[in-house]
Structures are given as C-alpha cells and as structure tokens.
Amino acid sequence: MIERGGDALVVFGITGDLARKMTFRSLYRLERRKLLDCPVIGVAVDDWDVEQLRQRARESIQASSEKFDEKVFSRFSNRLQYISGDFGDEQTYKHLAQALGDKQNPVFYLEIPPSLFATVVKGLAGAGLVCNGQRVVVEKPFGHDLKSARALARRLHRYIDEQQIYRIDHFLGKMGLEEILYLRFANTMLEPLWNRNYLACVQITMAEKFGVEDRGHFYDPVGALRDVVVNHLLQLVATAAMEPPSSGDPDLLKDAKVAVFRAMPEADPGGYVRGQYEGYREIDGVRRNSTTETFAALRLEIDNWRWAGVPFFIRTGKSLPVTQTELRLLFKHPPKVLFLSSSRRRPQPNQIVFRIDPDTGIRLILEAQRADQPGAGQIELDMEFSQEGGEGATPYEVLLHAALEGDSTHFTRQDGVEATWRIVQPLLHSPPRAQPYRKGSWGPKAADELVAEFGGWHGPWVTG
C-alpha cells in the first residue's frame, strides 16, 4: 500500500456541469489557501485542448461568488492538464498513465453518471492505475433502490476494494453537520437532554425556494425521496441520533451512523406524504403525465434505548417559501407555572435549532418573562457561526481536500448506503399519490397532519 497523500487529481467529466458549478471553484479556493499541491488532470470526451479547459475554469470561477485573484488563478491554471478520449477506449487510459508519469498515488474523481463508473474503473484497472490502493471518488446517486445499489457495488468491487471507494455526498462536507456533533458531545448542558426523556420529536426541514427549472430530464426519473431524503437527510438523522464514537477513526464514525440506520424500522407508507407543485409537468424534460414528487414529508422511528418513542419528521421540497435546511429539537411540553400569578398561559416547549443552509447557526428558544408584553413568552437566543468564527470552507472544498489527504471521514460506506435504501424501500414500492400544491406554499395540507400532535411544523428559522 502506498502513502496516503494524493500526488495528482484526475477528474473524469471535467467539462461537465458539476465541474463548472462546483469543482473549479473548490479547487481554486484550495489553491488560494495553499492546500492544493498537485497536478489536476481532466479527462472527458470533448475535443478540447488544455487552453480551452483553462478558459472554462476561469469563466466558472468568475461566474461564482469568489473574489478573483489573477495570481492565484495563474498558479491553479498551471496545474491543469487535459486528455480527450472515450471512457470505453483503453487508449484513453494509456494516455492518462503517460500523463501521470511517475506519480504513485493519484486520486480519481468520477464526475460522471453512475452507469459509467464500472467502465472507467475497469479502464483504470486495465492500465494498472488502481492496483495499489489508489482512491476512486464517485458521485451520488449510489443506485436508485436497494437492489441497484448492491449491483453497482458488485461491479466496482470487481476491480477495486471497498476501502478505495470514496462515495461523495456534498451534504457531508457542510460545516453544520460537524458542528452538530461537536455541540452535542462537547457541551455537558446539551448532551444529557438529547434523548427520549426530554425530547418530544425531531423535525428536519430542507426547503428550496426555486423549482426544478432546467433540470427536468435529471429530476423527473428521480424525485425528492431519491434526490435528497435517502442520502442528505438520512445522514442528518444519523448525525443527530448517533452515539459518540470511541475515537476519531473514520470507520468508527461510520459504524455509529450505521448503528442508527439499523435501529430504524422500514418507513411506513401511511406516514409518507408526496406532493408535486403546480406547473411542474410543463417543464422541459418532464413527462406530461408525471407522478414524480417534488415534495416529500415522512415520519421515521429509531428503536433504540436513546430514541424509542421520539419520532423524526422530515420534509423537503421545491418551490417552497424559502431556501433553508435545519435540524430542530422540540422538547416535551412543560406544565403550567402555577406559582406565578402573572403567567396565565402554559409555557411552550423549548427548542434547539441548528441551521445548516444557507449559512450555519444555532438558536435556543426558551420561555421568559417579557417587558414588552403582559406575562411571559418565548425568547430566541441566536448565534450565527459566520459572525463568530468567520467563513468556513465550502462542502466540495472540504471533500476534495479530504480525498487528496486520504481522510474518509466525510464519505459514505457501502453498508450505510444499503441501510438507508432499506429504510425507504417500502416508500418506493407503494408510494401514495403526489398531491398538488401551489408554488410558494409549504406543500400539501396532508403534511401538516403528520405533525399535528406536536403543534405542526415549527420554523424554519429565517434571517434577513
């Protein structure tokens, strides 16, 4: 086995949309922070030369929100190389091997459809480029159900070991998920409350104000459940519910998350609401009779000692009122404070809110006596991490650097992939009808009925 640090980054599909939106910007940010110290070799079928690739990188970075520094870009662009070739042609991999020269530990990043993963990995294996533990980073989706996820893994395992596969989910690179773990386990005032004795329910919201727009061809065969619930939001559930690992070993962290998934029964279709916003079927690439959901709300349970009886509610959708992702802990209802004559209302449940997107923050919602109104009421104690600790790294910046360093902490393991598909499998086989909802609303009314006993959906926390 070779040393862990990557000495080259090879990006298959570098002329595609993901590279334009995310990869170039993230690599540029790593260059600016002096964390990128290897060549970046792009491989794609487009008949480009390296100058065209450099121009695409420049345009992509300038079109983002990054402050453009010509000196930083010059350093980055000098790292770029380009190979044009068909992924099924062995000559492509011979040219790649020549370009790598004496590099011993390249990292291969596959920004391509999953249907091409095995083709590329077979080509790399045939050229002897993954025979000594070299890492292969693959993009979601990891199958479209449990059966296909297992089949995809079998095809990859013909040529590389599980330890070589880094399944990338940009959600796992977000600062907020790491902050949740740290805040949970590093604060004695929080961790003892994080269980069935004090919590009534957990609510997770991932709302997007925008619609499907020009992604109809991609989105219509997928839908909200496959697009974000089975990966992003179940990872957030695991982060909120897991037990503390005994060390920083990445496999122990993944074991803790998988233990949560294994304690979760399969989702009940009776606790699942699907919606489709009005006008969705008129989008290019969407079938005129499409039943694909653009909104999903569901109830999940975790049958272990810490969480038994505490439901986890998830809602996500397109064309909702705001763009926001948050984790909200709703505590049990306190009794009325009888010894205070000024208090004529029953105190409301306390809440802890962790905002993941569009920026990271924490909010405590408490009960207190107020001077601006008769009696008591709720107060909100907010902290935004960008104001306290500065701007964090972007998700792809975190993940690409981790892949180059050989740190698998933020990547998904196959047993975790299979466990999450098992949980949602009944929802795929017998989905309820997708109910229509208006753009700018919070989805079908039936979603509110899921959480009616807890006073409905709370939040989200929106600032500005």
Side-chain angles (χ1 to χ4, degrees):
M1 189 67 66
I2 51 182
E3 63 181 20
R4 294 183 66 180
D7 54 10
L9 176 64
V10 180
V11 183
F12 284 84
I14 200 168
T15 60
D17 203 42
L18 181 58
R20 179 177 61 84
K21 292 180 178 179
M22 296 290 184
T23 311
F24 289 126
R25 176 196 180 198
S26 300
L27 292 173
Y28 172 82
R29 287 172 63 96
L30 289 174
E31 182 70 63
R32 187 173 62 198
R33 295 167 59 202
K34 299 184 179 179
L35 294 176
L36 186 65
D37 59 359
C38 67
V40 177
I41 304 173
V43 184
V45 297
D46 297 270
D47 187 19
W48 286 15
D49 58 29
V50 70
E51 290 305 319
Q52 288 174 289
L53 182 65
R54 288 170 177 160
Q55 183 60 29
R56 167 62 69 87
R58 175 185 289 274
E59 293 170 353
S60 301
I61 296 163
Q62 290 177 331
S64 72
S65 59
E66 293 301 318
K67 181 180 178 181
F68 191 83
D69 185 314
E70 195 66 52
K71 291 182 179 179
V72 174
F73 180 77
S74 178
R75 294 201 310 268
F76 171 59
S77 66
N78 287 335
R79 300 185 188 279
L80 294 175
Q81 301 176 43
Y82 184 71
I83 295 171
S84 174
D86 189 291
F87 296 157
D89 185 351
E90 66 179 25
Q91 289 299 318
T92 301
Y93 303 93
K94 290 181 179 179
H95 294 155
L96 176 57
Q98 293 171 359
L100 287 169
D102 60 357
K103 302 297 183 184
Q104 296 296 305
N105 193 19
V107 174
F108 302 99
Y109 178 23
L110 277 52
E111 292 186 348
I112 55 178
S115 59
L116 295 174
F117 287 171
T119 299
V120 170
V121 173
K122 178 182 178 181
L124 294 172
L129 296 175
V130 287
C131 61
N132 201 16
Q134 289 86 354
R135 296 180 286 280
V136 178
V137 181
V138 296
E139 278 280 348
K140 77 171 186 72
F142 315 121
H144 58 268
D145 57 15
L146 181 57
K147 181 179 178 181
S148 61
R150 287 172 171 166
L152 176 60
R154 283 195 300 271
R155 290 195 296 271
L156 295 179
H157 289 160
R158 292 175 190 167
Y159 310 106
I160 55 178
D161 296 331
E162 174 64 23
Q163 291 77 13
Q164 294 176 259
I165 304 173
Y166 281 44
R167 296 175 183 83
I168 194 169
D169 178 349
H170 78 274
F171 203 74
L172 293 178
K174 290 183 178 292
M175 177 184 176
L177 268 70
E178 197 164 301
E179 285 296 341
I180 290 170
L181 283 178
Y182 191 80
L183 285 165
R184 272 191 69 186
F185 297 121
N187 292 286
T188 307
M189 66 179 292
L190 293 182
E191 201 286 326
L193 307 178
W194 212 281
N195 56 58
R196 59 185 170 86
N197 295 324
Y198 298 97
L199 293 175
C201 72
V202 178
Q203 298 185 4
I204 293 172
T205 296
M206 182 178 180
E208 294 174 327
K209 191 172 184 178
F210 50 87
V212 173
E213 317 303 352
D214 59 351
R215 299 173 67 237
H217 288 286
F218 162 77
Y219 193 88
D220 199 49
V222 179
L225 187 72
R226 288 184 171 95
D227 188 31
V228 297
V229 174
V230 76
N231 38 66
H232 300 343
L233 299 184
L234 282 180
Q235 289 294 328
L236 184 50
V237 169
T239 300
M242 62 182 273
E243 298 298 329
S246 58
S247 78
D249 185 325
D251 275 327
L252 292 180
L253 178 67
K254 294 172 189 176
D255 288 344
K257 290 185 176 182
V258 171
V260 174
F261 298 142
R262 288 176 175 165
M264 297 175 69
E266 293 181 351
D268 179 2
Y272 176 39
V273 175
R274 300 170 73 241
Q276 185 185 96
Y277 67 79
E278 295 173 354
Y280 170 75
R281 295 180 184 179
E282 279 69 60
I283 295 172
D284 287 343
V286 173
R287 294 163 297 158
R288 296 291 83 104
N289 61 346
S290 174
T291 60
T292 298
E293 77 280 356
T294 61
F295 175 94
L298 58 152
R299 174 176 178 148
L300 299 171
E301 304 283 346
I302 303 175
D303 289 342
N304 62 17
W305 188 257
R306 181 185 291 267
W307 293 109
V310 180
F312 280 66
F313 296 101
I314 291 174
R315 65 171 170 173
T316 182
K318 304 282 189 184
S319 290
L320 300 184
V322 296
T323 295
Q324 180 92 351
T325 302
E326 68 173 36
L327 166 73
R328 185 174 292 255
L329 308 181
L330 192 70
F331 284 78
K332 290 184 176 180
H333 217 299
K336 187 174 180 181
V337 184
L338 297 175
F339 59 86
L340 291 176
S341 60
S342 61
S343 179
R344 294 183 175 86
R345 58 185 285 279
R346 186 182 182 187
Q348 296 301 301
N350 299 146
Q351 299 178 40
I352 302 178
V353 187
F354 295 91
R355 190 173 61 204
I356 313 298
D357 273 331
D359 45 28
T360 308
I362 182 172
R363 165 177 284 182
L364 303 182
I365 301 178
L366 306 174
E367 283 284 313
Q369 296 274 39
R370 300 182 62 114
D372 61 344
Q373 66 183 44
Q378 289 187 319
I379 61 170
E380 297 169 346
L381 307 178
D382 299 348
M383 197 281 284
E384 300 194 36
F385 289 100
S386 61
Q387 296 177 5
E388 292 287 333
E391 179 191 18
T394 63
Y396 272 97
E397 188 180 354
V398 170
L399 296 171
L400 290 175
H401 184 249
L404 286 167
E405 292 298 307
D407 179 3
S408 66
T409 301
H410 302 289
F411 298 88
T412 309
R413 207 168 56 190
Q414 178 62 19
D415 57 347
V417 172
E418 294 185 16
T420 53
W421 279 118
R422 176 195 62 79
I423 293 165
V424 304
Q425 199 70 19
L427 309 183
L428 301 174
H429 287 159
S430 55
R433 182 180 67 88
Q435 302 175 36
Y437 66 94
R438 298 189 314 276
K439 289 183 179 181
S441 72
W442 278 108
K445 293 294 184 182
D448 297 333
E449 298 172 10
L450 287 179
V451 291
E453 65 180 294
F454 302 100
W457 294 98
H458 294 261
W461 167 22
V462 179
T463 59

